[in-house]
């Protein structure tokens, strides 16, 4: 067996945790969540506020997936293979909700 070290650590030694990325992610998600709470408190309820909440929730979800599931480090074709179906599902849900609401107006 060879007796060389990997970097500056001894073989079998656990390297120190890189918590900077985790703290940065925590701060970014906390700021977005604080902004959501501020909007919920000061903004009048309605479709515009709901749209902002849905958009910010999607941004947080994609950020979490990118950071903790390491998707942002993958090849672009895999990212697009995941993002495009999600966009179409959101479009489908929006269309179904819109059309489902208008059926009662026709009766």
């Amino acid at each position: 067996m060879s007796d060389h070290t990997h970097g500056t650590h001894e073989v079998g030694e656990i390297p120190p945790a890189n918590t900077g990325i985790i703290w940065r992610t925590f701060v970014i998600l906390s700021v977005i969540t604080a902004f959501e709470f501020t909007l919920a408190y000061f903004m009048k309820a309605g479709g515009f506020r709901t749209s902002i909440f849905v958009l910010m929730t999607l941004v947080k979800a994609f950020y979490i997936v990118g950071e903790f599931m390491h998707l942002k480090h993958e090849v672009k074709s895999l990212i697009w293979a995941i993002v495009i179906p999600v966009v179409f599902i959101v479009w489908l849900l929006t269309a179904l909700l819109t059309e489902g609401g208008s059926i009662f107006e026709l009766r």
Side-chain angles (χ1 to χ4, degrees):
M1 294 185 106
S2 65
D3 189 32
H4 67 282
T5 59
H6 299 285
T8 59
H9 303 289
E10 296 291 324
V11 174
E13 181 182 348
I14 299 173
N18 185 7
T19 58
I21 295 171
I22 295 171
W23 280 110
R24 180 177 55 104
T25 302
F26 171 74
V27 168
I28 290 171
L29 293 175
S30 296
V31 167
I32 293 173
T33 304
F35 184 66
E36 285 178 335
F37 276 112
T38 304
L39 284 179
Y41 186 72
F42 289 112
M43 199 171 179
K44 185 178 165 185
F48 182 66
R49 185 176 86 170
T50 304
S51 300
I52 291 174
F53 283 149
V54 169
L55 180 68
M56 285 195 293
T57 301
L58 288 174
V59 167
K60 288 193 303 186
F62 278 113
Y63 189 75
I64 289 169
V65 168
E67 282 294 326
F68 293 117
M69 295 178 72
H70 308 289
L71 185 62
K72 73 177 187 176
H73 305 291
E74 294 293 335
V75 294
K76 297 296 180 194
S77 59
L78 177 64
I79 294 171
W80 285 114
I82 295 171
V83 170
I84 289 175
V86 169
V87 169
F88 282 129
I89 289 171
V90 168
W91 171 79
L92 174 67
L93 289 174
T94 304
L96 289 174
L97 287 171
T98 303
E99 292 299 318
S102 67
I103 195 167
F104 293 112
E105 295 173 6
L106 295 175
R107 289 186 175 194

